[in-house]
Amino acid sequence: MAAALIWILLVGLLAGLGDAEAQQPTLQPLVGRVFVHTLDQETVLRGPEHADVPPTAPVTYHAHLQGHPDLPRWLRYTQRSPRQPGFLYGTPTPEDRGRQVIEVTAYNRDSFDTTRQRLVLLIGDPEGPLLPYQAEFLVCSHDVEEVLPPTPASRFLTALGGLWEPGELQLLNITSALDRGGRVPLPIEGRKEGVYIKVGSASPFSTCLKMVASPDSHARCAQGQPPLLSCYDTLAPHFRVDWCNVSLVDKSVPEPADEVLTPGDGILEHDPFFCPPTEATARDFLTDALVTLLVPLLVALLLTVLLAYVMCCRREGRLKRDLATSDIQMVHHCTIRGNTEELRQMASSREVPRPLSTLPMFNVRTGERLPPQVDSAQVPLILDQH
């Protein structure tokens, strides 16, 4: 009985290990070559427990490096919508050689089920000849997830072969234009984000590509004119390339090694043209301080005295003003002023009835009028206010 129980436990353990190995596919990215892995129901939800999941179910994915919250620096993830597949893509660098484990979690948006999968990446060096001739193109007619599948990528390489010298072309890197500082396009049909595609080859560049990347062609692009393209554009109409953003890199000629700087002892060598003073003579800054402070104060004091003299000691006075005025003008002014005072006195002492315009309003209800002697300023317009 105990032996049978142990046998059952071993069988279950082996089955679990088999399932774990089945959920850990091994991939082999190459240094300097683009790596693309598709995340869909066929690659992630392939277990028997997901057999009843419809192909049109919305599924989203989240990927990260094992033991870290994010992906490694060379790897990116993109997915346009939950009903479309996701992609892990990037180009590993020589510093990324070795083994990396990527954990992927799939979320079913209809049933809220989750599935985990581990991707084992064994990053190694590529085989075959080096690719010293590298060119990068900006494809404005596609988004990044539209060129990641194998079919459009191979179609691009086939079309580019007509502009390059005969030789094998390989994809080196694919980057979204948004990651290079591009703007999100307007939601208009036909507008795409754009994608940078870097291609390498062991064959040298053609004359057509060299002419496109020449300084004369860049000068025409800066003036808003089309670049110099001496050959037929074999990429059109499937791929609309911005020929003003084509860059060519030639690594066939080795770069000169950087000069190794040896640290010295920190003491400058003898230079006859540089003779720094050995000692600084003592200086007395009291005179400079007094001049800096007293001169502005004296100038301000002088201006204050001058302004006070002009404002207070140079007043002409009323007597001088009257003496400077002609007698005829003074008599005319006094006459007008005396007549005005006389009229005011006569108006205050007269006893005549007040004009009708100053009387209060006629009372419609009683038909009476207030006597003229009553001051209308003290009588309200509406008698009911009493």
Side-chain angles (χ1 to χ4, degrees):
M1 182 67 182
L5 183 59
I6 294 175
W7 175 255
I8 294 175
L9 292 176
L10 290 176
V11 171
L13 181 60
L14 293 176
L17 292 176
D19 294 339
E21 291 295 334
Q23 287 294 97
Q24 291 188 5
T26 302
L27 306 175
Q28 296 181 351
L30 300 178
V31 174
R33 304 292 188 270
V34 66
F35 166 76
V36 179
H37 179 69
T38 305
L39 299 177
D40 53 10
Q41 297 186 21
E42 296 181 359
T43 58
V44 181
L45 306 179
R46 57 184 180 181
E49 65 276 8
H50 304 290
D52 56 343
V53 178
T56 59
V59 180
T60 57
Y61 306 93
H62 175 72
H64 64 90
L65 183 64
Q66 187 180 21
H68 296 77
D70 206 351
L71 291 171
R73 59 181 180 177
W74 65 272
L75 196 60
R76 294 186 178 91
Y77 167 75
T78 182
Q79 184 181 15
R80 181 62 58 174
S81 67
R83 300 187 184 277
Q84 296 180 357
F87 295 94
L88 289 172
Y89 68 100
T91 302
T93 60
E95 292 78 10
D96 300 319
R97 293 189 185 95
R99 182 177 183 272
Q100 295 181 355
V101 179
I102 304 298
E103 295 183 352
V104 180
T105 304
Y107 302 90
N108 190 335
R109 295 301 179 179
D110 286 342
S111 61
F112 303 101
D113 294 336
T114 60
T115 303
R116 296 182 183 274
Q117 183 187 53
R118 292 182 180 179
L119 302 177
V120 180
L121 304 183
L122 301 179
I123 304 174
D125 294 326
E127 299 179 357
L130 299 178
L131 306 177
Y133 301 96
Q134 302 175 5
E136 190 174 51
F137 305 89
L138 173 58
V139 181
C140 303
S141 58
H142 288 70
D143 293 332
V144 63
E145 65 273 2
E146 295 177 351
V147 298
L148 291 176
T151 302
S154 60
R155 183 185 302 173
F156 180 83
L157 294 179
T158 302
L160 184 60
L163 302 176
W164 209 306
E165 294 292 339
E168 183 182 1
L169 301 178
Q170 295 187 19
L171 290 176
L172 301 183
N173 192 14
I174 297 177
T175 308
S176 174
L178 300 183
D179 298 335
R180 297 284 190 90
R183 295 184 177 181
V184 178
L186 296 175
I188 303 176
E189 185 178 0
R191 297 288 184 92
K192 300 292 184 178
E193 297 173 357
V195 57
Y196 285 91
I197 301 179
K198 191 173 185 179
V199 181
S201 176
S203 303
F205 302 116
S206 62
T207 307
C208 178
L209 292 179
K210 293 180 181 180
M211 184 176 297
V212 170
S214 63
D216 296 338
S217 181
H218 290 299
R220 290 174 58 89
C221 292
Q223 298 176 359
Q225 301 178 4
L228 299 175
L229 189 62
S230 61
C231 54
Y232 178 72
D233 186 4
T234 57
L235 296 173
H238 301 289
F239 300 94
R240 183 166 54 88
V241 177
D242 184 4
W243 293 105
C244 291
N245 283 299
V246 176
S247 60
L248 305 180
V249 178
D250 186 2
K251 295 184 178 181
S252 58
V253 179
E255 298 181 358
D258 297 336
E259 183 180 356
V260 180
L261 300 178
T262 57
D265 54 1
I267 300 177
L268 296 177
E269 298 179 359
H270 176 70
D271 188 357
F273 300 99
F274 179 71
C275 298
T278 57
E279 296 182 359
T281 58
R283 290 185 56 186
D284 186 9
F285 294 97
L286 178 60
T287 305
D288 298 339
L290 293 178
V291 171
T292 303
L293 297 176
L294 294 181
V295 171
L297 290 178
L298 292 177
V299 173
L301 181 60
L302 180 61
L303 293 177
T304 303
V305 172
L306 181 61
L307 182 60
Y309 173 75
V310 172
M311 297 292 295
C312 302
C313 302
R314 297 282 296 176
R315 297 178 62 87
E316 296 180 351
R318 182 176 179 182
L319 178 60
K320 186 176 181 180
R321 183 195 63 185
D322 294 343
L323 293 176
T325 306
S326 61
D327 297 339
I328 298 177
Q329 186 176 356
M330 292 296 295
V331 171
H332 180 67
H333 177 70
C334 293
T335 303
I336 294 176
R337 186 173 181 181
N339 295 339
T340 303
E341 295 293 336
E342 185 179 0
L343 289 175
R344 288 178 178 176
Q345 293 177 4
M346 293 173 61
S348 60
S349 62
R350 63 182 178 177
E351 295 292 340
V352 295
R354 297 180 60 182
L356 296 177
S357 60
T358 60
L359 294 177
M361 297 177 59
F362 178 75
N363 196 334
V364 180
R365 293 185 299 172
T366 61
E368 298 179 355
R369 289 186 179 182
L370 294 178
Q373 290 79 11
V374 179
D375 189 3
S376 61
Q378 303 297 330
V379 179
L381 296 178
I382 301 177
L383 298 180
D384 294 342
Q385 292 180 352
H386 291 287

